[in-house]
Amino acid sequence: MANPPHGGVLKDLVARDQPIATQLKEEAQGLKDIVLTERQLCDLELITNGGFSPLEGFMNAKDYNSVVDTLRLADGTLFPIPINLDVSEEDIRRLSIVPGGRFALRDPRDDEPLAIITVEDVYQPNLVKEAVQVFGADDPAHPSVAYLRTQVQEYYIGGKLQAIQAPVHFDYVALRYTPAELRAHFKKLAWRRVVAFQTRNPMHRAHRELTIRASRMHQANVLIHPVVGLTKPGDVDHYTRVRVYEAIMAKYPHGMGHLALLPLAMRMAGPREAVWHAIIRKNFGATHFIVGRDHAGPGKNSYGKDFYGPYDAQELVLKYHDELQIEMVPFQMMTYLPSTDEYQPIDEVPKNVQTLDISGTELRRRLKTGAPIPDWFSYDAVVKTLRESYPPRKSQGFVLFLTGFHNSGKDIISKALQVALNEQGGRSVTLLLGEGIQESSLRFTAEERDQNVQRMGFVAAELARAGAAVIVAPMAPKEHTRATVRNTVLKTAGPGGNFFTIHVATPLAYCEKTDRRGVYAQARAGKIISFPGISEEYEVPVKTDLTVDVSQQNIEEIVHSIVLLLEIQSLV
Ligand code: ADP
């Protein structure tokens, strides 16, 4: 095929280093390790397979600064996104990372050595400057700025890589191609022109129409090239999306399109990202690249305004068009025309012609509530797949988190609730009682109790993810621990991420007076290391979904109010 990779040579380090891979692997056994983060792993895969050509390693200070300031590597080659190996100050010291040193870079999932880096330099980046220059603002509403602030370590290590092996994937192996493999595939099919489509979302009719239009305009075949590395937090998981892509591939004219997955860690950098995406697609052998509306947009900033204009990405790609050597296919927003039952870019729609659109937010609402999704918007097979990942509210899991003093009534409320929910049926109900789980809990230090609550949160999230109703009732005296548990559930339980904090606010004096097991007496006598309300502070929850008190209400009333809370949320 005529189109060369970016910089002229495909840097396929895995193929290049293959003859000495065994030797490198042996050497890696004797080297100190740097275990990669998930994002570094994605970056490493694309450095070593040539997706990021002409990069041959993580950026040194000269390249990094030049990329941040000018969108170019130090030698002038266009490259708009910094690609860095960040490490903590402590690791620099612990591993004695100095220029000239060699380190094994390991896969965080299975500890396999993937490459050896020869350190060129170790430098401290200016993260605020990186945020402003690369993402447009030092605003944590931008996911990559939030990442810079909370995840990125203080130092960057620059240096070239020698590849030992590509990261192993167990999912959709047949759909994963290196740039060399995809180029070979196109060659085999005699595809001379290939228009690539980037996506991190499920595809619907608008996207099919857009890609087919691009194909016809340029007499090119279509490469659907979705990102399955890291995308924007909250996006539809890649398993669901790949099922969607497979369903939509069947809707293309026979032989027109091909689906391949890209293990990229997106940065949501809008315009700069679009230029980067174009470079990557060029490396994978595409001749054309679609940039539509709000390409790789991160959404709204802290002031409620979009970070980038809807067509800023197209403008920047256009600016570098000549040196990119991949043709951009720009599109305005594709919109549906009910009168003719077709899709058209909004700028081609005649005046006074009615158009229809369903926004991403509206689509998510319909999926969540089970509201109908019209044929003009999507395909049955796609909607069916999406609905499977958005079970109706009544099948979604949830977590009821009861916090309060010892003997405040948490256990009795929880047990009564379990009965009430079992009577309703439809879900398995699990009780994670503080005392039941905390054997010898009375000897716990505050830290141990904290860890235990976090472990309960982890288990609760897993159960809720599988659709269970989970009642968790530890004392959980610390606000930050409760917040951690809540976040764990919200982030990891998928559609089961329904979390309710219930403060069982029975006053301490009542809890103590009615304590027939004498635990408070022991605590008062100093026989318990750390006890909430006595020798440890119980931090009253800042925000609760419900506050109850057994000194004021009977158990039936309390259970009823909790079930009502679930009813209001359509969960029962
Ligand atoms: P991202 O750009 O973050 O990957 P999407 O997967 O939503 O997000 O978009 C993939 C590509 O399709 C982008 O180039 C985007 O601009 C384009 N696109 C998505 N929806 C439309 C639409 N309705 N009209 C025009 N372009 C669109």
mmCIF file of all heavy atoms in Angstrom, residues 469-485:
data_model
loop_
_atom_site.group_PDB
_atom_site.id
_atom_site.type_symbol
_atom_site.label_atom_id
_atom_site.label_comp_id
_atom_site.label_asym_id
_atom_site.label_seq_id
_atom_site.Cartn_x
_atom_site.Cartn_y
_atom_site.Cartn_z
ATOM 1 N N ALA A 469 -29.382 -7.793 46.396
ATOM 2 C CA ALA A 469 -29.665 -6.734 47.365
ATOM 3 C C ALA A 469 -28.709 -6.984 48.529
ATOM 4 O O ALA A 469 -28.683 -8.083 49.076
ATOM 5 C CB ALA A 469 -31.104 -6.835 47.846
ATOM 6 N N VAL A 470 -27.913 -5.991 48.875
ATOM 7 C CA VAL A 470 -26.913 -6.201 49.917
ATOM 8 C C VAL A 470 -27.156 -5.219 51.058
ATOM 9 O O VAL A 470 -27.256 -4.008 50.833
ATOM 10 C CB VAL A 470 -25.485 -5.991 49.370
ATOM 11 C CG1 VAL A 470 -24.455 -6.516 50.361
ATOM 12 C CG2 VAL A 470 -25.315 -6.651 48.016
ATOM 13 N N ILE A 471 -27.272 -5.783 52.247
ATOM 14 C CA ILE A 471 -27.438 -4.939 53.427
ATOM 15 C C ILE A 471 -26.129 -5.016 54.203
ATOM 16 O O ILE A 471 -25.712 -6.106 54.602
ATOM 17 C CB ILE A 471 -28.612 -5.444 54.297
ATOM 18 C CG1 ILE A 471 -29.892 -5.537 53.456
ATOM 19 C CG2 ILE A 471 -28.813 -4.542 55.504
ATOM 20 C CD1 ILE A 471 -30.973 -6.402 54.083
ATOM 21 N N VAL A 472 -25.478 -3.890 54.360
ATOM 22 C CA VAL A 472 -24.189 -3.857 55.051
ATOM 23 C C VAL A 472 -24.387 -3.041 56.321
ATOM 24 O O VAL A 472 -24.911 -1.932 56.260
ATOM 25 C CB VAL A 472 -23.113 -3.161 54.183
ATOM 26 C CG1 VAL A 472 -21.738 -3.372 54.772
ATOM 27 C CG2 VAL A 472 -23.158 -3.663 52.760
ATOM 28 N N ALA A 473 -23.965 -3.597 57.449
ATOM 29 C CA ALA A 473 -24.257 -2.874 58.696
ATOM 30 C C ALA A 473 -23.080 -2.856 59.658
ATOM 31 O O ALA A 473 -23.146 -3.400 60.752
ATOM 32 C CB ALA A 473 -25.492 -3.483 59.357
ATOM 33 N N PRO A 474 -21.978 -2.221 59.278
ATOM 34 C CA PRO A 474 -20.879 -2.060 60.228
ATOM 35 C C PRO A 474 -21.087 -0.761 61.019
ATOM 36 O O PRO A 474 -21.932 0.042 60.636
ATOM 37 C CB PRO A 474 -19.667 -1.913 59.312
ATOM 38 C CG PRO A 474 -20.216 -1.225 58.101
ATOM 39 C CD PRO A 474 -21.680 -1.583 57.987
ATOM 40 N N MET A 475 -20.319 -0.538 62.067
ATOM 41 C CA MET A 475 -20.450 0.762 62.751
ATOM 42 C C MET A 475 -19.961 1.869 61.820
ATOM 43 O O MET A 475 -20.572 2.912 61.737
ATOM 44 C CB MET A 475 -19.644 0.750 64.052
ATOM 45 C CG MET A 475 -20.318 -0.077 65.131
ATOM 46 S SD MET A 475 -19.485 0.098 66.712
ATOM 47 C CE MET A 475 -18.329 -1.248 66.640
ATOM 48 N N ALA A 476 -18.846 1.602 61.138
ATOM 49 C CA ALA A 476 -18.267 2.552 60.175
ATOM 50 C C ALA A 476 -18.264 3.979 60.714
ATOM 51 O O ALA A 476 -18.966 4.849 60.205
ATOM 52 C CB ALA A 476 -19.016 2.476 58.838
ATOM 53 N N PRO A 477 -17.458 4.221 61.752
ATOM 54 C CA PRO A 477 -17.504 5.542 62.395
ATOM 55 C C PRO A 477 -16.834 6.664 61.603
ATOM 56 O O PRO A 477 -16.968 7.825 61.967
ATOM 57 C CB PRO A 477 -16.747 5.313 63.708
ATOM 58 C CG PRO A 477 -15.826 4.172 63.436
ATOM 59 C CD PRO A 477 -16.514 3.301 62.432
ATOM 60 N N LYS A 478 -16.101 6.329 60.542
ATOM 61 C CA LYS A 478 -15.332 7.373 59.846
ATOM 62 C C LYS A 478 -15.951 7.762 58.500
ATOM 63 O O LYS A 478 -16.264 6.905 57.667
ATOM 64 C CB LYS A 478 -13.894 6.889 59.592
ATOM 65 C CG LYS A 478 -13.099 6.649 60.864
ATOM 66 C CD LYS A 478 -12.571 7.966 61.456
ATOM 67 C CE LYS A 478 -11.988 7.789 62.832
ATOM 68 N NZ LYS A 478 -12.975 7.742 63.933
ATOM 69 N N GLU A 479 -16.076 9.053 58.304
ATOM 70 C CA GLU A 479 -16.679 9.578 57.075
ATOM 71 C C GLU A 479 -15.891 9.124 55.833
ATOM 72 O O GLU A 479 -16.469 8.712 54.833
ATOM 73 C CB GLU A 479 -16.727 11.112 57.158
ATOM 74 C CG GLU A 479 -17.434 11.803 56.002
ATOM 75 C CD GLU A 479 -18.942 11.507 55.915
ATOM 76 O OE1 GLU A 479 -19.546 11.139 56.942
ATOM 77 O OE2 GLU A 479 -19.483 11.623 54.807
ATOM 78 N N HIS A 480 -14.564 9.193 55.922
ATOM 79 C CA HIS A 480 -13.776 8.863 54.726
ATOM 80 C C HIS A 480 -13.930 7.392 54.347
ATOM 81 O O HIS A 480 -13.946 7.032 53.177
ATOM 82 C CB HIS A 480 -12.300 9.277 54.880
ATOM 83 C CG HIS A 480 -11.494 8.340 55.714
ATOM 84 N ND1 HIS A 480 -10.845 7.256 55.183
ATOM 85 C CD2 HIS A 480 -11.259 8.312 57.042
ATOM 86 C CE1 HIS A 480 -10.233 6.608 56.167
ATOM 87 N NE2 HIS A 480 -10.477 7.221 57.289
ATOM 88 N N THR A 481 -14.093 6.512 55.343
ATOM 89 C CA THR A 481 -14.272 5.089 55.043
ATOM 90 C C THR A 481 -15.617 4.881 54.346
ATOM 91 O O THR A 481 -15.716 4.141 53.360
ATOM 92 C CB THR A 481 -14.280 4.249 56.340
ATOM 93 O OG1 THR A 481 -13.291 4.748 57.193
ATOM 94 C CG2 THR A 481 -14.071 2.797 56.049
ATOM 95 N N ARG A 482 -16.640 5.555 54.878
ATOM 96 C CA ARG A 482 -17.970 5.419 54.264
ATOM 97 C C ARG A 482 -17.929 5.941 52.833
ATOM 98 O O ARG A 482 -18.507 5.345 51.923
ATOM 99 C CB ARG A 482 -19.017 6.171 55.092
ATOM 100 C CG ARG A 482 -19.209 5.570 56.490
ATOM 101 C CD ARG A 482 -20.358 6.229 57.230
ATOM 102 N NE ARG A 482 -20.138 7.632 57.537
ATOM 103 C CZ ARG A 482 -19.870 8.123 58.751
ATOM 104 N NH1 ARG A 482 -19.810 7.309 59.795
ATOM 105 N NH2 ARG A 482 -19.697 9.413 58.936
ATOM 106 N N ALA A 483 -17.187 7.043 52.632
ATOM 107 C CA ALA A 483 -17.093 7.598 51.271
ATOM 108 C C ALA A 483 -16.365 6.625 50.346
ATOM 109 O O ALA A 483 -16.757 6.434 49.185
ATOM 110 C CB ALA A 483 -16.367 8.938 51.310
ATOM 111 N N THR A 484 -15.341 5.966 50.865
ATOM 112 C CA THR A 484 -14.594 5.001 50.042
ATOM 113 C C THR A 484 -15.503 3.850 49.619
ATOM 114 O O THR A 484 -15.511 3.428 48.459
ATOM 115 C CB THR A 484 -13.392 4.432 50.833
ATOM 116 O OG1 THR A 484 -12.674 5.511 51.368
ATOM 117 C CG2 THR A 484 -12.504 3.587 49.961
ATOM 118 N N VAL A 485 -16.277 3.347 50.588
ATOM 119 C CA VAL A 485 -17.168 2.223 50.274
ATOM 120 C C VAL A 485 -18.183 2.654 49.213
ATOM 121 O O VAL A 485 -18.429 1.944 48.231
ATOM 122 C CB VAL A 485 -17.892 1.734 51.551
ATOM 123 C CG1 VAL A 485 -18.996 0.758 51.209
ATOM 124 C CG2 VAL A 485 -16.899 1.092 52.499
#
